Amino acid sequence: MDTEREKSHIPEKSQSSVSRNNENDGKHEGHQPDSDQKDEITSAEAAQPPPDGDAEAKQDNVAAVDSEMDIKEGEDSCEVKIPDSSPSPPDLNKVSEEIDQYISNFSSSKRDHSNPPDVPIFVEQFAILVEAKIKDYDSGDTPVKWSKLSEQDSISFLDSVNRIFRLSTALSEFSSEYKYGYTVNRIGGVLQRAMSYFEEEFKSLLEDHKLSASDHNNNDSKPRQSTSLNPNQDAPEPGPVEETNSPAYSEENLSNLIRLSTAMIVGGYETECRLVYFVARRNALEESLHKHGFEKHSIDDVQKMHWESLEREIVAWLKIFRQYAAVHFPSERKLSDAIFSDYPLISESLVSSLSRNMVIQLLTFSKAVAMTKRAAEKLFKFLDIYEVLRDVLPTLESLLSVEIVDELKTETSLIRSWFAESMISIFGELENSIKADSGKTPVPGGAVHPLTRYTMNYLKYACEYKDSLEQVFREHQKIDRVESATGSEFEYNPESQVKNANNDQTAKQSPFQLQMMKVMDLLDGNLDAKSKLYKDISLSSIFMMNNGRYILQKIKGSTEINSLMGDTWYRKKSSDLRQYHKCYQRETWGKLLSCLHPEGLNANGKVVKPVLKEKFNIFNKMFDEIHKTQSSWVVSDEQLQSELRVSISNMVIPAYRSFLGRFSSIFTPGRQTQKYVKYQPEDIETNIDELFDGNAAPSGRRRV
């Protein structure tokens, strides 16, 4: 009590001075007062007035107090001018060593959960230092990009964040303890902010890739021209797969991506790391799709497209699907394996997910195309899509997980079956179109009928996909027979089909071969009916020869069709043509040569001149008519045209020369000979060479 009273008489400034000294000293000395404090308090006690002193004594005491105050004021003045010495900022390296030792001790020692140790001060110091560094890098106004950090700074920062994570893991055991709650939340907040910075920088680096060469080249490229069926065009050839560079990152960026991904995974942020990587690479792949000319279309949009527009989209789709399977997906695998080299399961999962995402997008388009209205001109693009779906997916199996491969196999198998059904139906519609072509107007000049030209070109183009069509018809038949449990009796083997073509009687015809035979039989029947539209039997024969030769030439020029139709069919068709040829010769030139028969010319051993004149007149008239008419007929095949002219010349000229040599002397030389002997053999040959040009010519001419 006496002490408290004595302190209450100490001047205010002196109390303040004592308080500050106690504060400062307490930080370093455990709050123990030193000798200066004691002296200060003793002096103050001596300055207290005695309880019953006289006025003189009081004045002496006042003077003493004033003197003491002057001394204290001087001391206070010195304290203001000379600041207290404060500890220097903690060194990060030293604190890091303390943290490492603390974590090591914390992990190895047996802890008393009922009375856990206090959290040392250097844990808070470490959190402050790391947080300050994060603030320097992740400032809202001027953030420091990871790529701009020096090698030393980036390594130091990664080490610090790794310690924060290990510290957080070690302390989490006591997260329910009151004395640890603040520290656990504090360390967790610093870790979260560090990972947020890593996440943004990881995303930024992933987006900083160079476009591949093909992306630049195809940005302004135009789609290939439409490859719809055209009788005057060759079959479309699939474009080659372009070699492209993988998504290119500099060595520095790749190294930084590896560091950041590892830091995020080790720091417990694997999910965030995977998500950032997936979104960034998915966006890059979709951007590449767009640059290659592929646009996303809904199923409804595809259904409403005109075929010409849709065909261009299909061309782009075919190129992209092949290219992604051959180049982009393997490149994605290499990139992922490089960034997540220590985490192969993560890499495999990411590549599988990315590839699945892109393949599903591409499959959605093919599914929409398969659902469009069937039409003959769509067959070839349907086949292109069918082949890509069949051939490309197996190349992806090494890149994708088993589950995703099975999923995509199921999806592509379904889409292929839709295309197969469409293609089978298209051939059925081709049959119906042949049957329905019953026009009553014959083709002028007996030329090749448009139906023949269209059908044969269509089949020629189709047979360039022979192996695929064999598979389509074989599998379709197998599906049709499942309910009856008979299965398919055809085991398709492309090599055996070629061998069997040379042994037609023992070969078992495949479903597609039967389909081809059926179409050819329908075409033959239709042409036979059209030949009867001609009133002139000779022209009817020319029509059948023209169309038959066109068919044979197309078959001969296509190994695929030739192997399907076989030698037996080819020989029979050739035999039919020879019969039409003989029919033409008989109907046209046989009647003409009957005029040169000597029957009725002799009477009583002499030539009956009037009969001879009549025979020459009839011959001249008939030949003029034949020349005039058949010069307008058309035989476009040069070989057939030449064969016809040669056979006519061989048939007519020798007979005419013989007849002329035998009976021309009967006429009186001069006007009579010129009147009845209109043509010399050379004139006959010249006029025969003018037949079948498709140009109407005047009556037969003779040399002047």
Side-chain angles (χ1 to χ4, degrees), residues 140-190:
D141 297 330
T142 56
V144 179
K145 305 301 290 181
W146 182 263
S147 58
K148 300 299 181 182
L149 295 179
S150 67
E151 182 76 8
Q152 182 178 356
D153 287 344
S154 62
I155 292 176
S156 173
F157 189 36
L158 287 170
D159 288 343
S160 297
V161 174
N162 180 257
R163 286 188 182 89
I164 285 287
F165 170 72
R166 290 189 291 119
L167 185 60
S168 175
T169 303
L171 295 175
S172 63
E173 183 176 345
F174 295 101
S175 59
S176 60
E177 295 291 334
Y178 176 76
K179 65 170 65 177
Y180 278 81
Y182 167 78
T183 303
V184 169
N185 291 335
R186 181 86 168 89
I187 296 300
V190 175

Side-chain angles (χ1 to χ4, degrees), residues 209 249 279-289 324 332:
H209 65 88
Y249 292 92
V279 172
R281 292 310 309 156
R282 181 196 63 190
N283 292 342
L285 288 171
E286 289 182 347
E287 179 186 357
S288 178
L289 278 181
Y324 267 63
E332 286 297 322

Side-chain angles (χ1 to χ4, degrees), residues 1 85 109 113 118 403 423 484 546 572 603 634:
M1 293 294 294
S85 60
S109 64
H113 288 266
D118 293 335
E403 295 79 9
M423 289 185 280
S484 61
N546 272 325
K572 182 180 181 303
V634 177

Side-chain angles (χ1 to χ4, degrees), residues 538 581-597 619 622 626 630 647-648 651-652 655:
S538 296
H581 192 163
K582 290 179 180 179
C583 179
Y584 164 75
Q585 288 182 322
R586 182 175 63 252
E587 290 295 324
T588 300
W589 303 103
K591 291 180 179 180
L592 177 67
L593 292 180
S594 65
C595 300
L596 303 180
H597 199 279
F619 177 89
M622 287 184 66
I626 291 170
Q630 297 193 15
S647 67
I648 293 169
M651 181 180 181
V652 174

Side-chain angles (χ1 to χ4, degrees), residues 18 21-38:
V18 170
N21 287 336
N22 284 338
E23 247 182 329
N24 291 333
D25 294 338
K27 289 180 181 179
H28 303 288
E29 302 291 338
H31 301 282
Q32 297 296 322
D34 58 13
S35 59
D36 291 338
Q37 271 185 291
K38 294 178 181 178

